């Protein structure tokens, strides 16, 4: 029996279609990874394609690892030549070889989110940007969006003509890029942007990789952005053997720059493209799939498909409405305990999915008191912890002396008596002479007013130079141990914080284990473990990769983090209008925003294999205020016959009713024979005119500062919509709001 006989008809069709552009529309749980791996095996075994000529691109290291494992099993000999990696890893490998063509050193550093934040603070200080008005995070977001769309600082500046806010961002973008280049560093977006620039400006490099990768496969194509699309189309430009796999119904990363049009317009972009739909689901029961189909069918921007399964009907979807968020958490905790106690389930069979990270707190508190083990996915990344960042900064400084951020992070860690004034003097001198920070340290006699600090700085430079000589002969593990010993880092930790020190030392031990594992893997693959290679791997690690399937705990995560995963029991919590879909989505009047949220709901539903519970609360504490929310509109899109409610879910059930005590209290206050009060009557004096308009920044007594988004003139008063910096979007009457222009 052939390995291809285990595939269904559509899957086989996708495997056998090897030449020209191909779009595989793979619904949730339809076995897309299986199709991709069998397709690779078919290309090698039946079509005689050299494994060297195959490239498979995924989005996460975890997915790449799984695919690599399955390909090795199927193909056997020769599979190690197939290039299976993420977009970022692929680009890093290309840039390590050729980035010198763009004027960078091949030994560049990759900046993570924290490094970017630090650099942005420096940039804002340098060009005098008020970070109270222009937040560092939003500036980085604007730059990232520009890079996703392949917009250079110069183009951004041209597009910003006449828009004061965008002109400021353009100025920041230009300086940010200048500083990155000076530090011989790239951020994550640059990895793709620079590779595309390399391909566009160096035809010989492009041709080399086009010849190398004659067959290209891209997983999760619906999550690609413009720069990723450009990268793939350039690579596939010669042979056109491009196979993309994705599901437009699971496109949920618009906020990260994902462009759903890449998958929706695939046939327009690639002429003669074939489209094959995989609609048979192997994961979930019929009831779960019917619910998912019913919800997603309300979207207009999608390709028509309907998931089905042979798995049987299964349990009805449990739908529960509670009085408060606390009641919801209590029910879910008890339900999990029941499954574990009575049905022999394990804790890691259960996942709780929610819209925002803040919703995890109630579940955490409940699980702690109920003694239920849990893990939050997407919490503080291991590599974002202080002690890990410190030691990695030492390695970065040794590897790439041009990385100013890394040098400045460790110059006084552990404390060497080098103060901020001294660091600023070195920095000023470096800027004046247009050289790097570390380069300035090598010529201390040229820095004015350095005084007694010179000896301390010389000792630091001597230490780094010593480590550099060790790095040429030592393994990375030995070098790391040497750094820890020579700097006295651990002793310093113990001295400054006894309680916290043990956890931090355990983290350092874990880093040493990571280095040892990296060296072992390299030796197994007959590669030399290099310091650059290790730093590169660390920089490319994703949050979701930290999910350990062998540990027994309930998983708590946002719906975005859950993509690609599956669990026997899934709880979709907080299904309320205002929470999911969010208040901003409801008030935006943008159909695309609502459709994105609906796709997110679809992703949540299709994570469940056997049982799905959807829940909501009538009232919930949000930002210290009690909010009364209606049941989510997505819940109402699920046909009633698929739900097991335990109660009537009509409108009357949704709205909070006065309890008997409140009613009695109200009656007691009412005077005999007095006409009933309908409610407190407010007299509104309409403002004649407003001293602010749309686009102005205003201040509110309670909500602080914000931007005026909309002003509507009503009969009684002006209705003003303001996007507050901390409180979010609020609608209010002008006479009550008493907004002041700032």
């Amino acid at each position: 029996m052939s390995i291809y006989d285990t595939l269904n008809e559509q899957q086989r069709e996708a495997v056998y279609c090897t030449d020209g552009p191909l779009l595989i529309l793979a619904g949730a749980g339809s076995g897309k990874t299986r199709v991709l791996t069998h397709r690779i095996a078919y290309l090698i075994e039946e079509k005689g394609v050299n494994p060297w000529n195959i490239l498979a691109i995924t989005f996460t290291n975890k997915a790449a690892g799984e695919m690599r494992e399955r390909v090795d099993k199927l193909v056997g000999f020769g599979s190690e030549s197939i290039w299976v990696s993420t977009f970022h890893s692929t680009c890093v490998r290309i840039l390590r070889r050729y980035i010198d063509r763009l004027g960078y050193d091949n030994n560049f550093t990759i900046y993570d989110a924290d490094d970017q934040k630090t650099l942005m603070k420096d940039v804002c200080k340098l060009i005098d940007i008020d970070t109270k008005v222009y937040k560092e995070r939003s500036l980085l977001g604007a730059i990232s969006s520009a890079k996703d769309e392949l917009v250079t600082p110069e183009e951004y500046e041209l597009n910003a003509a006449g828009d004061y806010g965008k002109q400021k961002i353009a100025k920041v973008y230009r300086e940010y890029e200048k500083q990155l280049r000076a530090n011989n560093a790239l951020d994550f977006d640059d990895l793709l942007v620079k590779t595309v620039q390399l391909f566009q400006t160096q035809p010989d490099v492009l041709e080399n990789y086009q010849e190398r990768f004659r067959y290209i496969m891209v997983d999760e194509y619906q999550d690609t952005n413009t720069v990723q699309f450009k990268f793939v189309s350039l690579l596939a430009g010669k042979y056109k053997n491009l196979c993309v796999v994705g599901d437009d119904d699971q496109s949920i990363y618009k906020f990260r720059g994902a462009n759903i049009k890449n998958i929706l317009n695939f046939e327009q972009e690639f002429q003669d493209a074939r489209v094959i739909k995989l609609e048979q689901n192997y994961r979930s029961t019929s009831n779960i799939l019917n619910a998912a189909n019913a919800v997603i069918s309300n979207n207009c921007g999608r390709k028509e498909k309907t998931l089905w399964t042979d798995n049987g009907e299964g349990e009805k979807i449990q739908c529960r409405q509670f009085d408060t968020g606390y009641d919801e958490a209590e029910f879910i905790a008890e339900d999990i305990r029941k499954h574990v106690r009575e049905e022999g389930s394990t804790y890691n069979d259960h996942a709780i999915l929610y819209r925002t990270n803040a919703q995890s707190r109630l579940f955490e508190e409940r699980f702690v008191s109920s003694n239920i083990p849990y893990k939050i996915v997407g919490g503080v990344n291991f590599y974002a912890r202080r002690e890990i960042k410190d030691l990695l900064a030492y390695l970065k400084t040794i590897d790439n002396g041009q990385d100013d951020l890394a040098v400045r992070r460790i110059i006084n860690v552990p404390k060497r008596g080098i103060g901020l004034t001294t660091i600023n003097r070195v920095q000023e001198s470096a800027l004046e002479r247009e050289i790097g920070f570390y380069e300035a340290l090598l010529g201390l006699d040229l820095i004015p007013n350095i005084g007694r600090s010179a000896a301390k700085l010389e000792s630091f430079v001597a230490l780094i130079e010593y480590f550099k000589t060790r790095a040429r002969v030592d393994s990375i593990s030995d070098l790391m141990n040497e750094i820890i010993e020579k700097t006295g880092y651990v002793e310093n930790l113990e001295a400054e914080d006894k309680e916290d020190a043990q956890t931090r030392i355990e983290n350092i031990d874990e880093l040493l284990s990571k280095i040892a594992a990296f060296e072992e893997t390299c030796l197994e693959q007959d590669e030399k473990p290099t310091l650059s290679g290790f730093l590169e791997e660390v920089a490319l690690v994703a949050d979701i990769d930290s999910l350990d399937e062998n540990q027994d705990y309930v998983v708590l995560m946002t719906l975005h983090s859950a993509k690609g995963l599956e669990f026997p029991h899934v709880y979709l919590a907080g299904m309320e209008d205002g929470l999911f879909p969010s208040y901003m989505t409801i008030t935006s009047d943008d159909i695309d925003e609502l459709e994105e949220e609906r796709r997110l709901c679809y992703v949540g539903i299709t994570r469940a294999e056997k049982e799905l519970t959807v829940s909501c609360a009538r009232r919930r504490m949000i930002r210290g205020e009690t909010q009364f929310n209606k049941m989510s509109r997505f819940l109402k899109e699920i046909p009633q016959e698929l739900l097991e409610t335990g109660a009537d879910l009509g409108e009357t059930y949704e709205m909070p009713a006065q309890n008997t005590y409140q009613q009695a209290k109200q009656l007691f206050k009412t005077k005999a024979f007095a006409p009933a009060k309908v409610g407190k009557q407010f007299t509104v004096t309409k403002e004649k005119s407003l001293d602010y308009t749309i686009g102005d920044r205003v201040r509110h007594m309670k909500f602080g500062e914000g931007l005026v988004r909309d002003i509507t003139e009503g009969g009684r008063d002006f209705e003003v919509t303001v996007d507050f910096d901390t409180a979010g979007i609020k609608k209010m009457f002008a006479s009550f709001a008493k907004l002041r222009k700032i």
Side-chain angles (χ1 to χ4, degrees), residues 708-723:
V708 179
R709 293 280 188 205
D710 191 24
I711 299 173
T712 310
E713 188 169 357
R716 294 191 309 153
D717 199 1
F718 291 98
E719 189 179 77
V720 186
T721 306
V722 183
D723 187 358

Side-chain angles (χ1 to χ4, degrees), residues 40 43-44 48-56 78 81-83 208-217 239 241:
I40 292 170
L43 281 167
I44 296 166
V49 174
N50 187 335
W52 174 259
N53 294 136
I54 299 173
L55 168 68
S81 306
I82 304 163
W83 200 332
N208 173 29
Y209 282 105
Q210 284 177 337
E211 282 298 328
R212 164 96 200 250
F213 301 125
R214 296 186 181 198
Y215 291 87
I216 301 165
M217 276 159 267
Y239 290 100
N241 297 326

Side-chain angles (χ1 to χ4, degrees), residues 284-291 311-318 339 343 568-569 608-613 641-644:
S284 311
T285 63
S286 264
N287 279 336
I288 292 169
L289 292 183
N290 291 341
N311 290 348
E313 216 170 76
E315 300 286 329
K316 282 192 173 186
I317 295 159
Q318 297 295 314
H339 285 156
E343 297 169 20
H569 303 274
E609 295 173 355
K610 291 180 188 168
E611 284 186 26
L612 173 67
T613 302
E641 62 269 18
L642 301 175
L643 299 174
E644 180 69 59

Side-chain angles (χ1 to χ4, degrees), residues 8 12 86 118 146 185 198 211 325 387 395 418 426 440 450 519 536 570 591 617 624 711:
N8 67 38
R12 271 199 300 276
T86 62
T118 309
L198 185 70
E211 282 298 328
E387 60 281 10
L395 293 180
I418 301 168
V426 176
I450 207 81
E519 288 174 327
E536 183 183 299
V570 169
I591 192 77
I711 299 173

Side-chain angles (χ1 to χ4, degrees), residues 196-214:
V196 168
Q197 281 177 6
L198 185 70
F199 284 170
Q200 287 172 330
T201 57
Q202 311 294 321
D204 59 320
V205 175
L206 175 60
E207 195 174 353
N208 173 29
Y209 282 105
Q210 284 177 337
E211 282 298 328
R212 164 96 200 250
F213 301 125
R214 296 186 181 198

Side-chain angles (χ1 to χ4, degrees), residues 325-326 329-330 333 358-372 374 376 556:
Y326 293 97
E330 193 170 347
Q359 288 168 255
S360 72
R361 185 183 62 83
L362 291 178
F363 295 108
E364 285 188 78
E365 287 174 3
R366 194 69 229 168
F367 285 2
V368 168
S369 64
S370 302
N371 216 12
I372 295 173
Y374 69 92
I376 295 177
L556 280 78

Side-chain angles (χ1 to χ4, degrees), residues 53 128 220 229 243 257 437 489 496 523 548 607 674 716-717:
N53 294 136
D128 204 24
E220 305 286 3
F229 165 77
C243 165
F437 187 87
Y489 191 88
E496 70 177 34
L523 293 169
D548 185 356
R607 297 312 92 199
R716 294 191 309 153
D717 199 1

Side-chain angles (χ1 to χ4, degrees), residues 177-357:
E177 285 298 283
K178 186 180 162 189
Q179 293 299 325
L180 273 175
R181 187 175 273 268
N183 290 350
N184 193 37
L186 304 180
D187 62 21
F188 269 93
D189 299 309
D190 281 334
L191 296 176
L192 279 141
V193 170
K194 299 298 175 200
T195 310
V196 168
Q197 281 177 6
L198 185 70
F199 284 170
Q200 287 172 330
T201 57
Q202 311 294 321
D204 59 320
V205 175
L206 175 60
E207 195 174 353
N208 173 29
Y209 282 105
Q210 284 177 337
E211 282 298 328
R212 164 96 200 250
F213 301 125
R214 296 186 181 198
Y215 291 87
I216 301 165
M217 276 159 267
V218 183
D219 196 7
E220 305 286 3
Y221 190 67
Q222 76 281 347
D223 295 334
T224 52
N225 55 29
T226 304
V227 67
Q228 287 163 336
F229 165 77
K230 193 73 186 166
F231 169 73
V232 169
S233 19
L234 284 165
L235 264 186
K238 188 171 183 180
Y239 290 100
K240 306 278 192 298
N241 297 326
L242 172 66
C243 165
V244 301
V245 184
D247 181 5
D248 50 312
D249 290 335
Q250 294 187 69
S251 176
I252 57 172
Y253 291 124
K254 189 181 174 186
F255 67 97
R256 283 189 199 164
N259 188 350
I260 194 170
K261 289 192 175 119
N262 289 350
I263 194 164
L264 294 178
N265 301 342
F266 185 82
E267 299 100 304
Q268 282 84 51
E269 293 292 341
F270 298 93
Q271 299 301 313
D272 309 320
R274 282 193 63 188
V275 180
I276 297 170
K277 294 179 186 179
L278 305 182
E279 295 172 298
Q280 185 176 354
N281 175 288
Y282 293 93
R283 176 190 299 156
S284 311
T285 63
S286 264
N287 279 336
I288 292 169
L289 292 183
N290 291 341
N293 287 331
V295 170
I296 203 66
S297 64
N298 291 280
N299 272 8
C300 301
R302 66 187 289 264
K303 290 181 179 282
E304 194 56 47
K305 63 185 157 308
T306 305
L307 293 184
W308 61 276
T309 186
D310 285 334
N311 290 348
E313 216 170 76
E315 300 286 329
K316 282 192 173 186
I317 295 159
Q318 297 295 314
C319 183
R320 295 284 182 269
Q321 188 177 36
F322 301 95
D323 196 39
T324 66
Y326 293 97
D327 299 335
E328 179 185 48
E330 193 170 347
F331 168 82
I332 291 174
E334 194 46 50
D335 203 49
I336 292 171
R337 284 181 66 137
K338 191 176 89 180
H339 285 156
V340 172
R341 199 171 51 238
E342 296 174 14
E343 297 169 20
S345 298
T346 56
Y347 286 114
N348 63 3
D349 285 341
H350 301 80
I352 301 172
L353 312 180
Y354 36 74
R355 182 65 183 84
T356 61
N357 270 309

